[in-house]
Amino acid sequence: MKKSFYVVANWKTYLSYRQSLELFLALQEKILSMHLCHHLIVCPPTSALAGIASIYTPSQNIHLGSQTCSAYEQGAHTGDVDAQSLKELNYAYSIVGHSERRKTYGETDEMIAQQAYQLVTHGLTPIICIGEPVRMNALADIYAILQHQLETVLTKITPLIRSKLFIAYEPAWAIGTDMLPNFSDIQEIFSFLQKMVSACISQHSCVFLYGGSVNVERLKSLKHISLVDGFLVGRASTDFTQLQELLENSDSE
Ligand code: PGA
């Protein structure tokens, strides 16, 4: 059966407010006219969350995601973006636990679990990013890190999950570097994650994303890894032509 891969476009802070809106408008027009069934989730810069929401035409092919979410309810939390507001703006997803936020802002597994909790209690789907911070040779060492990262979140949200669970494996050393893990390791890692997830949330299906230096050429190879359901794409997703090509190639042959 033909498989349609998810593409999560993480625009980070590569684009300004105006550039984000221009790219989104062009993309939305193109996708609606392509009549193809895509699973695209656009995660614009935080500055453009409301602007994008105001030009978004809800459709099955494009969904909105934020790049982070507050660990708290509304209140005295300077600079945060709360889950309730994301919901009001039509955001259905939010990335949590991205390695850049773990590294730059010191987000811990416990904080990430709290963010995911906020999202699911407001009916949004967290895209949980996990990954080892540096290159490691032994899969057992990688498993130990991933297990701790994921268990902390799952313990907090499992009873509340109502939709598919999204897990993005993104080795931090592969992000923005043009380096990739070898494909057999990715396959082994997803099968480890699948076993782990099915042990705690057997009644829910899980979407496994790979992220880290994905571009069109790499996507064409990565999509043959059987457990991969989609891709979290940073830099390449900020260019209209590249993103269009990513989408055109996001079906199985
Ligand atoms: P990259 O970023 O595609 O630019 O490597 C991926 C990510 O950080 O999610």
Side-chain angles (χ1 to χ4, degrees):
M1 208 174 77
K2 220 172 171 188
K3 181 168 170 183
S4 223
F5 292 88
Y6 286 85
V7 174
V8 179
N10 178 10
W11 290 352
K12 307 192 183 184
T13 318
Y14 282 125
L15 304 173
S16 72
Y17 171 80
R18 195 179 296 276
Q19 289 169 328
S20 301
L21 265 63
E22 280 168 9
L23 178 58
F24 188 83
L25 267 184
L27 197 62
Q28 181 165 252
E29 196 182 303
K30 183 74 193 175
I31 287 179
L32 295 180
S33 72
M34 279 161 85
H35 301 299
L36 292 174
C37 180
H38 293 304
H39 296 304
L40 171 65
I41 301 170
V42 176
C43 303
T46 302
S47 61
L49 287 172
I52 297 273
S54 71
I55 56 171
Y56 171 57
T57 306
S59 86
Q60 284 311 305
N61 298 344
I62 312 182
H63 299 276
L64 301 182
S66 68
Q67 298 176 15
T68 182
C69 171
S70 178
Y72 309 101
E73 286 286 345
Q74 291 169 313
H77 309 294
T78 304
D80 272 12
V81 179
D82 66 292
Q84 175 60 31
S85 298
L86 290 173
K87 185 181 174 179
E88 289 172 11
L89 288 170
N90 257 332
Y91 282 73
Y93 297 87
S94 176
I95 295 172
V96 293
H98 193 282
S99 62
E100 285 156 10
R101 295 201 63 87
R102 291 178 190 264
K103 189 168 174 220
T104 313
Y105 302 107
E107 290 188 359
T108 61
D109 291 331
E110 288 67 29
M111 288 158 79
I112 292 155
Q114 196 56 40
Q115 295 169 0
Y117 176 83
Q118 281 297 320
L119 290 162
V120 292
T121 54
H122 288 88
L124 281 85
T125 301
I127 299 171
I128 305 161
C129 294
I130 53 175
E132 70 279 16
V134 292
R135 193 159 204 164
M136 294 172 156
N137 292 325
L139 280 175
D141 293 339
I142 299 175
Y143 294 164
I145 291 175
L146 301 183
Q147 180 155 4
H148 186 266
Q149 291 175 334
L150 197 53
E151 253 172 19
T152 312
V153 180
L154 291 185
T155 307
K156 185 90 187 163
I157 64 169
T158 299
L160 302 163
I161 300 172
R162 299 281 171 271
S163 56
K164 285 182 182 173
L165 187 68
F166 279 64
I167 297 174
Y169 169 59
E170 298 204 298
W173 56 267
I175 293 176
T177 58
D178 288 333
M179 293 194 283
L180 284 186
N182 69 53
F183 287 14
S184 62
D185 284 355
I186 298 177
Q187 176 68 26
E188 293 290 325
I189 286 166
F190 280 120
S191 88
F192 167 79
L193 292 174
Q194 191 180 47
K195 280 192 208 108
M196 195 190 142
V197 167
S198 53
C200 33
I201 53 157
S202 51
Q203 73 277 36
H204 295 291
S205 54
C206 193
V207 173
F208 288 117
L209 309 173
Y210 170 78
S213 293
V214 176
N215 60 16
V216 182
E217 287 317 309
R218 296 188 187 121
L219 177 143
K220 285 182 193 165
S221 315
L222 285 160
K223 70 184 185 181
H224 297 296
I225 300 173
S226 64
L227 288 172
V228 172
D229 302 308
F231 305 94
L232 211 168
V233 190
R235 185 177 278 278
S237 75
T238 61
D239 175 81
F240 178 79
T241 310
Q242 287 191 58
L243 184 50
Q244 190 186 326
E245 285 177 20
L246 285 165
L247 292 171
E248 283 166 355
N249 285 282
S250 65
D251 282 334
S252 55
E253 277 104 35

